[in-house]
Amino acid sequence: MQSSKNKVYELLDRRTRDSVISDESLFQASSVASELFVSRTLASQYLNALHADGLLVKVSGRPALFYSKKALEQRYQVEFQSDDFLSVQELINWISSHSRMKYDFEDVIGARTTLRHVIAQIKAAACYPPRGLPLLLVGSVGSGRSGIRKATEKWCVSERIIEGGMPGFTLDAASYEEPSQLLVTLFGKKDSDEGMLAKHPHSLFWVINSQAIDSATWSTLLSYFGNGHEKEPSAVPQSRSRLFFECTSTPDEVMSHAWAKQIPMIACMPSFVDRSLEDREALAVKAFNKESNKIGRRVLVSSIVLHKLASKTYEDGLVGLELDATIACANALADKGESGQALKIYSIHAPGLFDGKASYENMPEEPVLVDVARYDLVSKGSEGFSLLTNVVNDVENNGVTDSSALSQETFAHLSAYFEYLMRNRKHLLAGSSVGDAAGKVINGSFERLGCYVPVSFGAHLSNSMLFFKSNQLAASEWQGRMGRSLRDARLIVGQRLIDETQVMSHVANDLHDYLGLKLDANSLMIGTLFLRACSLRMSAKCRGIIAAHGYSTASSIADSANALLKSHVFDAIDMPLDISANQVADKLKEHLSRFPGKSDLVVLVDMGSLKDIGRCLSETLKVNVGVLNGVSTPMALAAGEQILSNQPMADVLRETAEKSRDAVKYSISECPSVRACIVFTSENGIPAAARLADLFAKSLPRSIDVDLIPCDYMALACGDVIPELEGKDILFAFGVNNPNISGVEFVSLEEIVDADAARTAGINLRNYLTAGEVAILKQNLIKNFSLENLMKHLTILEPNSLMEAVSAAVDSLQENIGAHFSYRMTMRMYIHVGYLVERLVTKDIIEYRGADVFARDHPDFVKAVVSSFKNISIAYGVKMPAEEINYLYDLINIDCGSKI
C-alpha cells in the first residue's frame, strides 16, 4: 500500500508539472492537507521531510511553499544547486537566469520524423518579433496536441522567448458563454481591470477549442499581433507574450473559414494512424510508462503487446491507446499483483489482443519483455545498425575486390545483418503487406532484366527498407555518426560495382513506379553489395543450387549454408509438395536459364528421379549436371566446401556422398559439346552480313565464347541447309529482315537504329554476360548501329554522298507513290537502298522470280521508282532493274499492310 508521504510527493509533483507555480494556494500545506484528507500539521511534517530528503524545493515565508524539484528541473531545464528560496519571485527569477540547458523537443515522439514540420512551424511562429506570429494547431481527438503545447512552453523557456518560471496558460474558448468574455480575459476592460496578457507580459498563452470562436472575435484576437487588420489593443502595449491557438478539426474544415486565411502558420497534427510505426510503438511505451508512474511499479511489456497496440486503429487516437494501457495494467495487477515485483504485461492482459484461438503456426517471433522506463528509440535498432557499421567499415577500409565475390568478412557481416532482419521481419511488417508486395516487385524486376534472382533477395531488400523506415530516428543518428565513412562506402560501391548498380537502379525504379516506395540510399548500397556477393565466378568449375519441397525449405538450407561458408555458393528454389519429377526439372530449368555462366551444375534435391532431372537440365542448359538426393544443411556444407575449393563436379559429388551419414545417391548427366552461335543475316549476301557481325563484335563489352556466323538471308528464308550452322546452338538471329528460323528469336536491326532499347530484349546472352554487361552491350549497339555508322560500315561507297542521295530518293518516292513511311520503315529504306546502290555499282543484282511479270502489271510503280532514283542513276551511272523494283514494292507493302 502506498504511504501517505509518497502520496504527498506525487500530489506536489503533479501540481508542479501542470499548474502555474505562482499560484501559491496550490503549494502550501493547507492545500495538500485538504486534498489528501490529513491534518495540516501532518502534511507540514511530510513536506519538510521530503524537503530534507532533497526531493522538494522550499520557498520560505508564511505560509511556506513546496515544489517538486524533479518536476521543476524537467519543466524549465534547470539544475538546482540550492533548494531554498525566500520568495516565489526569487524562485522565478532564478529559474529564468539559470535555464541554460537547451531544449529542442527531444522528448517529443516524432520530433525528427512525423512531427518535424509541425515543430518547425511552431519555432518560426514563436521566434518572430515582437510577439510572434499567429499559429493555429489543428488535429483530431487523440493526436497529441496537449503534449505539443507543453513542449512548446519548454522550448520557449529554453530560447528565452518567455521567462523561466512564467508558465504557459491554457484558455478554453468553448468554456465561455460569450466570445467577448475571452477577449476580456486576455485584454481586460477599458479603463478598468488588466487582462492576462498585460499581467503576464512574458508568457505563453494557448487558446484551445478555437473552432468555437466567431469571426469578429478572431479579428480582435489577431489584432494583438499588429497585422494591420485592426489597431492593436491599447490595453497590452508592453506585452510580449506569445498567443497561439488550437482546435479540434480537420485541415479542410479549418480552411473553409475566412479567418483561417489571416493565420500565416497552420500546423496540422497527423492522426495516430498516420504516424509512423516507430512513433506509434514509442507512444505505446509512453502510455505504459505513465501507468508505471501512476501505480508506482516497474512495468515490463511484451514486445508482442507493443507491436499489436501500435498496429491498432483507434478512433480516439492516443486516448484509446492510453485506455488500453490502463486496462492492461489493471488486468496484470489483478492477475499477479505481488507488491515489490515488476508488473509484466502479456497479450492476455491487453483488451482485444488475445481470443484464445491463435494457432501455433501464426505465432509471432519470440517475445521480449520491454522495460518501459528504459525504452530508447535510438537504441531500439542498435543491433542492426551495429552490423551495418561492420559492413560499411569493411568496404571503406578494404574496398571492393576485383573478383566477383566479396571478402569473407564482408559477406559474413551482410549475412548477419540479413539474419537479424529476418528474425524481426514480423515486427517490421507489423501486419502490413508492403514488405511482401515489395518482394514481388523486386523479383519481377530481375525477371524483366533476364537475371536470376539470388536466394531470398526480395525478402532481404524489402526487410532492409522496412528497417530504415521503422527506425528513422535511430537511422538519422547512425548516419550522422558514420558521416564520411558511410559516404565513402557508398561512393566505392557505386564506382566499383557498375553492373550491380545498374541492376539496382532498375529495381529502385520499379519499386517507385509500382508501389510508390523510395529505395533508401543505405538499402541500395546493401542490395548492390549482396548482388556482388551472389555473383558466380565465371572461372568456377561448378556452381550449386538447392531444390526442395516446402514453403522455404530450400531457402533456409541455402541461407544457412552460405552464411556458414561465408560465401554465396548456393541459390535455392522452393517448390510445392505436390510436384512431379518432371515438374521439378521444369522449375529448375526456368530458374537456371537466367544464371550467367556455363559452369557445371551441382543440384541438391530432397526427392525425385536423379537421372531424369539431370538429363532434362543438361539438354536444356547445355552444361554437365550432377544431382545429389536427400539434401540437408550438412550435405550443403560438404558440397559447398568442395565447390569453393574449385574441385571438378565429379569430385564434389563423390566427396559429398562419402561424407554424408546416410547412403546418398547421385548421378551425372554430361552434355554433348555444342558450340553456341549468333546468326547474322542480310538480303544483300554474306559480305553485308559479315559487316553486321563485325559491328556487333565491336559493341561487346568483352570477348565471349560464342561464334558469330554471317549467312545469306535468301538461303535461310528458303530453308536451305547452312553447313556452318550444323550442330550449333543458335542463341538468336540478327539482321534487317526476319529469316524465320524455326525456334530462333530474331533481333531486328531497325529496332536498334530506332534507339528503342526496350525492344532489344531478344539479345539472349545471359549465360555469357552479366546483367550489367548486357545493358552495356545494348547501349553500345544503339550507338554503333546509328544510321551514320551503318552507312560507314555496311557499304564500300563514300557514306556522306550516299546518305544525301538515298535521303533524296526515299523522300521523292514517298511523294510519287502518295505514301508516308513510318519512322521505322524510313530507317529500313535507308539501309536497303544503301545496299541496293552498292549492288548496282558492283553489278550484284538480286535474283527475284517473276520480276518481268511484275513490271508489266505495275507500270505506275516502276515509273515512280525510276523517277525517284534518277539522281542516284546519274550520280553512280546505274539503272534500276526490275528485280530490285519488285523487291522494293514488297518491302513497302510489309509496312503499309496493303497493296500500293
Side-chain angles (χ1 to χ4, degrees):
M1 182 176 179
Q2 191 176 20
S3 67
S4 297
K5 183 179 177 181
N6 288 339
K7 290 181 179 178
V8 170
Y9 175 75
E10 288 187 0
L11 175 63
L12 273 180
D13 187 74
R14 185 168 62 252
R15 287 183 173 179
T16 305
R17 293 178 188 277
D18 300 333
S19 305
V20 179
I21 65 174
S22 57
D23 187 351
E24 300 181 6
S25 63
L26 297 175
F27 301 98
Q28 52 189 276
S30 59
S31 176
V32 172
S34 176
E35 177 76 15
L36 298 179
F37 302 103
V38 296
S39 68
R40 184 184 181 284
T41 302
L42 187 58
S44 180
Q45 290 177 357
Y46 287 143
L47 290 169
N48 282 291
L50 289 167
H51 174 250
D53 293 340
L55 297 176
L56 300 184
V57 171
K58 183 178 181 179
V59 174
S60 302
R62 294 184 180 276
L65 307 177
F66 297 87
Y67 301 88
S68 165
K69 181 188 290 187
K70 180 179 179 181
L72 286 175
E73 288 181 338
Q74 292 180 347
R75 183 171 181 176
Y76 299 113
Q77 298 297 295
V78 294
E79 291 182 357
F80 283 98
Q81 305 299 322
S82 171
D83 50 18
D84 287 290
F85 294 87
L86 297 177
S87 67
V88 173
Q89 189 59 48
E90 183 186 5
L91 172 63
I92 291 174
N93 292 340
W94 186 91
I95 290 175
S96 179
S97 62
H98 288 78
S99 181
R100 295 190 179 93
M101 296 169 59
K102 286 294 183 181
Y103 170 77
D104 195 20
F105 294 88
E106 57 266 14
D107 57 348
V108 175
I109 296 170
R112 299 187 197 172
T113 54
T114 52
L115 296 183
R116 181 172 56 185
H117 184 60
V118 170
I119 290 173
Q121 290 179 289
I122 290 173
K123 289 180 177 180
C127 288
Y128 202 82
R131 298 171 178 172
L133 292 174
L135 176 134
L136 177 63
L137 186 66
V138 181
S140 58
V141 174
S143 58
R145 299 187 311 278
S146 62
I148 285 292
R149 295 201 307 267
K150 293 177 181 177
T152 300
E153 176 190 339
K154 291 169 65 175
W155 183 80
C156 287
V157 170
S158 172
E159 296 296 314
R160 306 294 180 86
I161 294 172
I162 63 175
E163 291 183 356
M166 298 300 295
F169 296 90
T170 302
L171 307 177
D172 189 348
S175 66
Y176 295 95
E177 294 183 2
E178 296 292 335
S180 58
Q181 295 175 346
L182 172 62
L183 297 177
V184 171
T185 300
L186 287 170
F187 301 124
K189 295 181 180 179
K190 291 183 178 180
D191 304 325
S192 60
D193 296 338
E194 284 186 322
M196 293 186 69
L197 287 170
K199 291 179 181 178
H200 305 282
H202 301 287
S203 190
L204 172 64
F205 290 83
W206 280 97
V207 178
I208 65 172
N209 288 316
S210 54
Q211 69 273 9
I213 303 175
D214 59 22
S215 296
T217 303
W218 268 115
S219 182
T220 303
L221 288 170
L222 294 176
S223 69
Y224 172 73
F225 300 92
N227 54 13
H229 297 287
E230 280 190 18
K231 185 178 179 181
E232 69 176 31
S234 58
V236 289
Q238 303 302 319
S239 178
R240 291 296 178 265
S241 289
R242 269 46 180 174
L243 178 59
F244 292 161
F245 308 93
E246 179 210 284
C247 70
T248 305
S249 186
T250 65
D252 290 340
E253 291 171 345
V254 167
M255 295 310 298
S256 65
H257 297 286
W259 49 261
K261 297 178 175 58
Q262 303 173 25
I263 302 177
M265 293 291 181
I266 298 180
C268 299
M269 291 284 292
S271 64
F272 179 79
V273 72
D274 290 332
R275 300 284 288 271
S276 69
L277 178 64
E278 180 184 28
D279 282 4
R280 284 179 272 143
E281 183 177 312
L283 290 168
V285 170
K286 185 176 181 180
F288 280 107
N289 202 23
K290 182 178 179 181
E291 295 301 315
S292 175
N293 294 331
K294 187 187 302 182
I295 63 179
R297 293 278 294 274
R298 182 185 176 205
V299 173
L300 305 177
V301 186
S302 166
S303 58
I304 297 174
V305 174
L306 293 178
H307 302 163
K308 292 285 187 180
L309 293 183
S311 303
K312 284 183 68 173
T313 301
Y314 294 97
E315 292 184 1
D316 49 358
L318 290 175
V319 177
L321 175 65
E322 291 175 350
L323 180 60
D324 274 0
T326 301
I327 295 173
C329 289
N331 289 337
L333 278 171
D335 187 13
K336 292 181 180 179
E338 298 93 337
S339 61
Q341 296 184 0
L343 192 64
K344 297 179 180 179
I345 311 296
Y346 296 99
S347 295
I348 197 170
H349 299 132
L353 296 193
F354 183 76
D355 58 7
K357 300 178 181 179
S359 64
Y360 178 81
E361 291 79 8
N362 294 326
M363 288 182 68
E365 73 282 355
E366 182 179 353
V368 176
L369 288 175
V370 177
D371 187 340
V372 296
R374 299 181 179 180
Y375 180 84
D376 184 3
L377 270 177
V378 173
S379 63
K380 184 165 65 76
S382 58
E383 182 181 350
F385 288 109
S386 176
L387 295 170
L388 280 175
T389 299
N390 293 334
V391 175
V392 172
N393 289 340
D394 282 345
V395 174
E396 185 198 19
N397 296 330
N398 305 319
V400 179
T401 60
D402 292 328
S403 63
S404 58
L406 290 180
S407 68
Q408 288 191 348
E409 291 77 11
T410 305
F411 183 81
H413 291 143
L414 270 178
S415 298
Y417 172 64
F418 290 137
E419 182 182 347
Y420 163 79
L421 295 181
M422 197 61 75
R423 290 199 311 268
N424 294 275
R425 181 170 174 79
K426 290 183 179 178
H427 175 206
L428 294 173
L429 291 174
S432 170
S433 60
V434 171
D436 292 335
K440 292 178 180 178
V441 170
I442 293 166
N443 291 342
S445 297
F446 280 82
E447 294 280 350
R448 282 185 293 278
L449 288 171
C451 306
Y452 79 97
V453 185
V455 57
S456 303
F457 185 81
H460 289 333
L461 187 60
S462 61
N463 285 350
S464 185
M465 294 171 60
L466 291 170
F467 173 70
F468 278 96
K469 186 175 181 181
S470 61
N471 291 277
Q472 295 180 40
L473 185 60
S476 176
E477 190 275 338
W478 177 74
Q479 290 178 142
R481 176 163 44 86
M482 294 300 292
R484 181 172 295 278
S485 295
L486 184 57
R487 290 191 297 271
D488 289 348
R490 289 177 185 164
L491 184 62
I492 291 170
V493 170
Q495 289 182 337
R496 296 298 304 277
L497 306 184
I498 297 175
D499 295 344
E500 291 81 1
T501 299
Q502 289 180 342
V503 173
M504 289 302 300
S505 68
H506 286 285
V507 171
N509 290 336
D510 282 347
L511 283 170
H512 181 269
D513 293 344
Y514 282 88
L515 299 177
L517 295 177
K518 183 179 180 180
L519 182 61
D520 60 276
N522 298 305
S523 296
L524 179 65
M525 178 186 69
I526 292 299
T528 306
L529 283 170
F530 188 50
L531 278 186
R532 169 51 65 98
C534 299
S535 297
L536 298 174
R537 291 170 295 181
M538 306 296 279
S539 60
K541 290 184 178 178
C542 52
R543 49 200 170 111
I545 187 167
I546 298 173
H549 299 76
Y551 177 70
S552 61
T553 305
S555 297
S556 298
I557 295 175
D559 274 337
S560 299
N562 290 340
L564 292 170
L565 293 168
K566 296 184 178 180
S567 184
H568 188 92
V569 180
F570 294 102
D571 205 347
I573 292 218
D574 299 301
M575 298 176 296
L577 293 172
D578 54 344
I579 189 171
S580 66
N582 288 336
Q583 289 174 315
V584 171
D586 290 341
K587 267 274 193 184
L588 286 165
K589 284 190 293 184
E590 178 186 352
H591 182 82
L592 293 169
S593 63
R594 296 186 295 273
F595 270 81
K598 298 294 287 184
S599 306
D600 291 345
L601 181 65
V602 174
V603 183
L604 278 58
V605 298
D606 56 348
M607 63 182 75
S609 173
L610 303 185
K611 291 184 179 180
D612 289 344
I613 294 173
R615 177 178 47 79
C616 292
L617 293 175
S618 179
E619 292 176 355
T620 302
L621 302 175
K622 305 297 187 295
V623 296
N624 299 323
V625 178
V627 184
L628 275 159
N629 214 339
V631 64
S632 64
T633 302
M635 176 190 286
L637 287 173
E641 288 175 352
Q642 297 296 315
I643 292 173
L644 283 176
S645 62
N646 215 20
Q647 296 297 315
M649 183 182 68
D651 292 346
V652 172
L653 298 174
R654 186 184 66 256
E655 292 289 336
T656 303
E658 291 176 357
K659 289 182 179 180
S660 300
R661 292 181 179 180
D662 302 324
V664 174
K665 296 180 180 180
Y666 65 89
S667 70
I668 298 177
S669 300
E670 294 187 356
C671 171
S673 179
V674 177
R675 290 285 298 175
C677 72
I678 302 171
V679 171
F680 294 85
T681 175
S682 173
E683 67 275 18
N684 297 290
I686 292 178
R691 294 174 198 158
L692 283 178
D694 291 342
L695 206 52
F696 186 91
K698 181 181 176 182
S699 303
L700 287 168
R702 61 179 173 82
S703 298
I704 57 175
D705 190 23
V706 174
D707 295 333
L708 308 183
I709 303 178
C711 296
D712 181 79
Y713 169 80
M714 294 299 178
L716 289 171
C718 295
D720 296 346
V721 175
I722 309 295
E724 292 82 0
L725 300 181
E726 288 293 320
K728 293 288 179 66
D729 176 23
I730 303 176
L731 301 179
F732 57 90
F734 188 97
V736 177
N737 293 315
N738 190 353
N740 295 310
I741 305 173
S742 178
V744 176
E745 188 152 6
F746 178 72
V747 177
S748 172
L749 176 60
E750 66 194 50
E751 292 172 352
I752 295 175
V753 174
D754 194 13
D756 188 353
R759 298 295 298 277
T760 61
I763 298 178
N764 177 21
L765 290 173
R766 292 184 293 267
N767 288 335
Y768 302 90
L769 298 174
T770 66
E773 288 171 335
V774 171
I776 294 173
L777 169 62
K778 291 178 180 180
Q779 293 175 357
N780 290 343
L781 288 174
I782 294 171
K783 178 179 66 176
N784 293 335
F785 280 81
S786 65
L787 189 59
E788 291 79 5
N789 272 342
L790 282 173
M791 300 305 285
K792 291 178 182 178
H793 286 86
L794 302 187
T795 178
I796 61 174
L797 305 177
E798 199 282 317
N800 294 328
S801 300
L802 181 61
M803 272 285 292
E804 293 180 5
V806 169
S807 176
V810 172
D811 291 345
S812 177
L813 181 61
Q814 292 182 82
E815 182 179 349
N816 288 337
I817 64 175
H820 179 72
F821 298 156
S822 65
Y823 176 76
R824 184 166 294 162
M825 184 58 188
T826 303
M827 294 299 103
R828 179 182 294 185
M829 288 293 292
Y830 282 178
I831 296 169
H832 176 75
V833 175
Y835 278 134
L836 184 155
V837 176
E838 181 180 323
R839 287 197 303 273
L840 295 181
V841 171
T842 59
K843 304 187 184 307
D844 186 21
I845 300 171
I846 62 173
E847 296 180 4
Y848 215 68
R849 298 175 184 175
D852 294 339
V853 176
F854 168 81
R856 186 186 64 221
D857 294 342
H858 300 82
D860 292 339
F861 182 79
V862 172
K863 183 178 179 181
V865 171
V866 171
S867 174
S868 301
F869 282 68
K870 184 177 180 180
N871 63 324
I872 290 178
S873 298
I874 295 173
Y876 292 96
V878 296
K879 292 183 179 181
M880 285 291 293
E883 291 84 354
E884 295 286 1
I885 296 174
N886 192 174
Y887 187 87
L888 267 178
Y889 180 87
D890 291 341
L891 187 65
I892 293 171
N893 278 312
I894 291 175
D895 185 65
C896 296
S898 60
K899 296 297 181 183
I900 299 173

